[in-house]
Amino acid sequence: MKVSDILRVKGNTLYTVSPDEPLARAIEVMADKDIGSLVVMEHGDLVGMLTFREVIQAIVRNAHAPGASTVRSAMDDHPTTCTLETELDEVRRMMLERHARYMPVMDKRMLMGVISFYDVAKAVVDSQNFENRMLKAYIRDWPSSEDEQPSAQL
């Protein structure tokens, strides 16, 4: 399974923010849209990722308020990315290695979507459920031993 398979099921709704946007406004968007991340874009290029993890760290640094901080001051400016062709096992490895819950999907310099650890886990479970159903159907249709070979009459 590839990242393109996950995005096909998930859809292509993207939420982005500018790095110079006030952090408080970005937090409002995340809360309003009930999302855990925003892709940070500047002049059409991916420049970072803002997740609830970076938001919490910024709020703690700023005496428990976003203050006048900008997204740039809180964002991860080197997010791990993948492509549409990246295999799901590789995505899982990268996400676990970097403790990343969200990963932008790129096609060269073009943002194609964002996948979350939840999306990856759901794809794995759905795939396993499908495989289990196919195996059970196969076993259910297994020929009985009488049907396999005619008994020889001597």
Side-chain angles (χ1 to χ4, degrees):
M1 182 177 289
K2 295 182 179 187
V3 170
S4 58
D5 299 319
I6 295 175
L7 285 183
R8 189 176 314 111
V9 172
K10 180 181 178 175
N12 56 1
T13 303
L14 285 171
Y15 296 100
T16 63
V17 66
S18 158
D20 298 319
E21 186 91 20
L23 183 58
R25 177 68 189 125
I27 294 169
E28 287 173 15
V29 170
M30 291 170 77
D32 182 51
K33 303 294 182 190
D34 192 26
I35 55 175
S37 69
L38 289 168
V39 180
V40 185
M41 302 290 288
E42 185 173 45
H43 308 297
D45 291 326
L46 170 74
V47 294
M49 193 77 181
L50 182 69
T51 71
F52 57 86
R53 176 185 289 149
E54 288 83 27
V55 168
I56 290 169
Q57 290 171 348
I59 288 174
V60 168
R61 277 193 311 268
N62 292 322
H64 306 283
S69 300
T70 62
V71 168
R72 187 182 309 277
S73 68
M75 71 183 192
D76 173 0
D77 59 358
H78 289 91
T80 302
T81 63
C82 62
T83 69
L84 292 168
E85 296 302 310
T86 306
E87 293 287 338
L88 194 57
D89 287 341
E90 177 66 7
V91 170
R92 289 191 304 185
R93 186 194 63 72
M94 290 188 303
M95 289 180 120
L96 287 170
E97 206 172 78
R98 285 277 317 263
H99 297 269
R101 289 178 179 88
Y102 301 91
M103 187 178 292
V105 180
M106 305 297 291
D107 183 5
K108 295 182 178 57
R109 294 179 59 193
M110 183 180 218
L111 178 65
M112 303 304 291
V114 174
I115 59 171
S116 67
F117 200 76
Y118 171 84
D119 298 328
V120 172
K122 183 178 183 318
V124 169
V125 168
D126 289 349
S127 176
Q128 288 173 343
N129 286 342
F130 176 75
E131 187 175 313
N132 286 342
R133 283 194 310 275
M134 294 299 106
L135 288 170
K136 286 176 183 176
Y138 180 74
I139 291 168
R140 201 172 28 253
D141 294 338
W142 191 276
S144 68
S145 60
E146 293 173 5
D147 296 339
E148 285 181 4
Q149 294 195 14
S151 55
Q153 299 286 330
L154 296 177

